[in-house]
Amino acid sequence: QVQLVESGGGLVQAGGSLRLSCAASGSIASINNMGWYRQAPGKQRELVATITSGGSTVYADSVKGRFTISRDNAKNTVYLQMNSLKPEDTALYYCNADIQGWFRRSSYYWGQGTQVTVSS
């Protein structure tokens, strides 16, 4: 079975930084896209950033220039470096990955989420 586990969330002051990590484990043949999404109270879940297996990235306009997504394919891990954090970045951050298993068709998986809170 496949599992995604996020880490690195916490409480930080505005202007500070956090680095989120998400490690995939289990029966994995390959991973295509990986990404980060977030959901704040009263809002729908939104895309933060995605990265393909080849390193192509997409960022939400609200985080461009402040966040950087990266991945380590050997470790099946995706990272999100968050700098210059703002209170509006406060949300539950979820990891997502499109994973091809050895004995199953590819499917998207979600982590449990890690809370990021930015104080003013």
Side-chain angles (χ1 to χ4, degrees):
Q1 294 183 325
V2 173
Q3 183 178 32
L4 299 179
V5 179
E6 302 103 329
S7 63
L11 175 64
V12 66
Q13 292 185 222
S17 299
L18 283 174
R19 181 177 173 86
L20 306 184
S21 299
C22 173
S25 61
S27 181
I28 300 171
S30 63
I31 303 177
N32 191 13
N33 282 16
M34 301 186 81
W36 290 94
Y37 296 74
R38 67 187 183 187
Q39 187 167 23
K43 292 186 175 182
Q44 288 189 294
R45 188 174 300 186
E46 65 176 353
L47 181 149
V48 176
T50 62
I51 184 168
T52 68
S53 60
S56 296
T57 59
V58 173
Y59 294 94
D61 288 341
S62 60
V63 306
K64 286 181 179 177
R66 300 188 298 120
F67 291 9
T68 302
I69 188 170
S70 61
R71 63 191 285 171
D72 185 335
N73 292 330
K75 297 180 179 179
N76 290 331
T77 300
V78 63
Y79 306 93
L80 185 68
Q81 178 66 47
M82 305 184 293
N83 298 326
S84 301
L85 283 162
K86 304 174 181 179
E88 50 262 46
D89 293 318
T90 295
L92 189 62
Y93 284 70
Y94 296 92
C95 175
N96 175 265
D98 180 11
I99 299 174
Q100 173 66 58
W102 291 108
F103 305 105
R104 65 182 185 275
R105 288 168 287 183
S106 63
S107 181
Y108 284 92
Y109 293 84
W110 291 92
Q112 292 293 103
T114 184
Q115 179 67 39
V116 172
T117 302
V118 185
S119 63
S120 59

